[in-house]
């Protein structure tokens, strides 16, 4: 039996080929698109909000986690990586990137509804915030503080538990 392939086109026109079974198991968005076409993946599925550079990283993740039908059936609900798991090391390397690329991965995971990748990328972002002060987080993520001093005082008073 021949493996069905799906063609995806990024926002910058790059085309990628991926196993239909893998991408349908990984991406809710692509699965829904394939179901609209009754499984006939004729043509190319456009991924308008994701560049080729980022889509290639997403597909790297998809191929690692979903190319094996048994692994695709065993969703992430039960997957708890151990420290020396080679898949964990590859996943960690996938998200240890510059800030813009990490944000692009989060956006792509959201657009394509790839839950495992979203969890992985958000965990990396959370790790970057761990132990930082509010001002350090604002600096790192280029967040403008648009509160007045009084508004900030009110927030700190109303949410004192968060600042302990």
């Amino acid at each position: 039996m021949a493996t069905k392939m799906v063609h995806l086109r990024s926002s910058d026109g790059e085309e990628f080929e991926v196993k239909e079974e893998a991408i349908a198991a990984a991406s809710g968005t692509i699965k829904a698109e394939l179901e609209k076409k009754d499984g006939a993946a004729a043509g190319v599925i456009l991924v308008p909000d994701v560049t080729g550079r980022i889509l290639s990283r997403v597909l790297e993740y998809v191929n690692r986690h979903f190319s094996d039908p048994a692994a695709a059936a065993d969703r992430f609900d039960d997957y708890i990586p151990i420290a020396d798991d080679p898949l964990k090391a590859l996943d960690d390397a996938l998200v240890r990137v510059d800030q813009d690329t990490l944000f692009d991965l989060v956006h792509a995971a959201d657009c394509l509804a790839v839950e495992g990748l979203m969890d992985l990328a958000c965990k990396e972002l959370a790790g970057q915030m761990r132990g930082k002060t509010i001002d350090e987080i604002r600096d790192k993520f280029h967040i403008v503080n648009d509160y007045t001093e009084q508004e900030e005082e009110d927030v700190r008073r109303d949410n004192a538990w968060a600042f302990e």
Side-chain angles (χ1 to χ4, degrees), residues 129 131-142:
M129 288 187 261
K132 303 253 188 310
T133 67
I134 293 171
D135 289 331
E136 290 171 332
I137 292 170
R138 285 181 180 142
D139 286 344
K140 176 158 184 61
F141 296 105
H142 311 290

Side-chain angles (χ1 to χ4, degrees), residues 65 74-89 91-92 119-120 123:
H65 286 275
D74 182 26
R75 299 283 299 176
F76 281 87
D77 302 336
D78 299 330
Y79 175 68
I80 301 172
I82 54 176
D84 62 347
D85 183 354
L87 190 56
K88 180 185 181 325
D91 284 350
D92 289 346
D119 291 346
L120 187 65
K123 181 180 174 188

